[in-house]
Amino acid sequence: VQLQASGGGLVQAGGSLRLSCVVSGLRLNYYRIGWFRQAPGKEREGVSCISSRGDGKYYADSVKGRFAISRSIAENTVYLQMNVLKPEDTALYYCAAGDTVSVHSCRGSVTDYFAWGQGTLVTVSS
């Protein structure tokens, strides 16, 4: 199983980025996929996730209304559209795959995910 995250970069506050997570070795419609981030000196935190059925989505309160998760089954890729970026969104962003507990839900902690990508850096300047 491999997850390849990309799309990070340097953007000014208020700008947008779209992260991509290309997944190989497993099919999205059998696993939940999550986006996590880790800022320097802080713990890794969950940002968003999508259930195996695709109809269950979760967003952390800090990104609700600004970020949107989606996926392409054909491309086996999960996206994270990030709008109205803030300096506090600066972090290394990771995508991860987790076993399905419920096809309509994706909530879980870091330890519920068994495969991780290498991370893509998002830097938001003020």
Side-chain angles (χ1 to χ4, degrees):
V1 177
Q2 286 190 327
L3 296 93
Q4 182 73 35
S6 64
L10 174 63
V11 64
Q12 288 188 331
S16 299
L17 285 173
R18 188 176 82 153
L19 305 184
S20 299
C21 176
V22 178
V23 183
S24 58
L26 59 84
R27 298 185 65 173
L28 295 184
N29 47 0
Y30 292 104
Y31 296 89
R32 54 180 160 170
I33 302 296
W35 283 99
F36 295 79
R37 67 186 181 186
Q38 188 165 18
K42 294 187 177 181
E43 292 187 354
R44 192 170 297 188
E45 63 173 352
V47 175
S48 181
C49 64
I50 187 166
S51 67
S52 59
R53 187 66 62 87
D55 57 350
K57 298 177 182 180
Y58 161 81
Y59 299 96
D61 288 343
S62 58
V63 306
K64 204 169 291 182
R66 301 188 296 121
F67 290 12
I69 193 169
S70 62
R71 70 180 188 180
S72 166
I73 294 296
E75 297 177 347
N76 226 44
T77 300
V78 177
Y79 303 97
L80 185 67
Q81 178 66 44
M82 307 187 297
N83 299 322
V84 195
L85 283 161
K86 304 176 181 180
E88 50 263 43
D89 294 318
T90 294
L92 195 58
Y93 283 71
Y94 301 88
C95 56
D99 288 321
T100 290
V101 176
S102 166
V103 295
H104 303 294
S105 176
C106 63
R107 289 294 301 273
S109 66
V110 169
T111 56
D112 293 323
Y113 289 78
F114 62 84
W116 292 79
Q118 85 290 359
T120 184
L121 182 62
V122 172
T123 304
V124 184
S125 63
S126 57

